[in-house]
Amino acid sequence: SLGSWFRDYVFFPLGGSRVKSKWRLAFNMFVVWSLTGLWHGADWAFLSWGVAFFVLLILEKLSGLGKWMENHWVGYVYTNIAVVVVTVLLGSAMHTDLSTAPPLEAITMAGHRMGALFGIGATSLWDSTASMYVREYGLFMLLAVLFSLPFGPWLEKKLHIPQPVSQIARAVGLVVVFLITISYIIMGGYSPFIYYNF
């Protein structure tokens, strides 16, 4: 995968996390995440996406917040919000014709979209488009929230489900979700190649 490639061929050769100084660790992480952003495309929005994840990760690592959040529900909420907000940069770059747009067009679009996520610059908090999305995808949104939490392990403990049974149930569940996802992609019609701008 992309992550393991950058880990094995960039992060580890730079010294990884087993370095003497925190500054060197920060430098190693900065290089990896900047290159990850540029791998997606040569645009400021892609680079900003990588650097934004670097900033979040280095702050978590140096402050100890990351370790604390591993065992606290706040970590799940924080991770979901952070990933959605930062990924707006990636989505904006992928929906901009980078060959003809001004240099910072995707960054500007990302700023407007991030603001709209929090009601800034939006016409209203709720409109007909939001209603349509909740009607069409409400169940999926609810399931996404539910399964982004440690629901599976909690359910296993509560119902005393043996590990082999839970592993089989997980595998079957993933296959079902995969098939449903594929059916929605096919029904959605034409979808451009995700890395067209790369």
Side-chain angles (χ1 to χ4, degrees):
S1 73
L2 177 65
S4 58
W5 191 92
F6 273 112
R7 181 196 64 207
D8 295 344
Y9 296 104
V10 180
F11 189 62
F12 286 167
L14 285 171
S17 56
R18 296 183 179 193
V19 287
K20 293 179 181 176
S21 125
K22 288 181 179 178
W23 292 108
R24 180 63 196 201
L25 172 63
F27 173 77
N28 293 352
M29 289 175 68
F30 175 77
V31 169
V32 168
W33 279 99
S34 298
L35 290 175
T36 303
L38 288 174
W39 181 89
H40 284 83
D43 184 76
W44 288 109
F46 288 119
L47 179 62
S48 300
W49 172 82
V51 171
F53 272 117
F54 155 73
V55 169
L56 291 173
L57 290 169
I58 199 68
L59 287 174
E60 289 171 24
K61 198 166 218 26
L62 296 181
S63 67
L65 192 61
K67 283 282 184 200
W68 177 79
M69 286 192 300
E70 282 178 12
N71 301 310
H72 202 282
W73 66 268
V74 172
Y76 293 97
V77 175
Y78 160 80
T79 301
N80 280 283
I81 292 171
V83 168
V84 166
V85 171
V86 173
T87 304
V88 168
L89 286 161
L90 198 64
S92 297
M94 289 183 171
H95 290 95
T96 303
D97 184 355
L98 301 175
S99 61
T100 58
L104 297 176
E105 178 71 21
I107 294 271
T108 305
M109 184 191 295
H112 292 310
R113 288 178 170 182
M114 284 180 188
L117 282 173
F118 299 99
I120 301 166
T123 52
S124 64
L125 189 61
W126 194 270
D127 61 11
S128 58
T129 305
S131 297
M132 184 271 295
Y133 278 121
V134 169
R135 258 193 331 273
E136 295 287 324
Y137 304 106
L139 176 62
F140 297 105
M141 291 175 186
L142 180 64
L143 290 173
V145 169
L146 185 64
F147 289 111
S148 67
L149 300 171
F151 177 72
W154 175 83
L155 196 61
E156 287 169 18
K157 283 181 186 174
K158 206 77 172 159
L159 301 176
H160 306 290
I161 300 170
Q163 192 173 10
V165 174
S166 70
Q167 287 175 337
I168 291 168
R170 259 187 224 161
V172 169
L174 288 173
V175 169
V176 169
V177 168
F178 175 73
L179 293 173
I180 292 170
T181 304
I182 292 296
S183 71
Y184 268 84
I185 290 171
I186 292 167
M187 286 188 300
Y190 172 72
S191 181
F193 178 52
I194 191 170
Y195 290 124
Y196 171 76
N197 284 318
F198 175 71

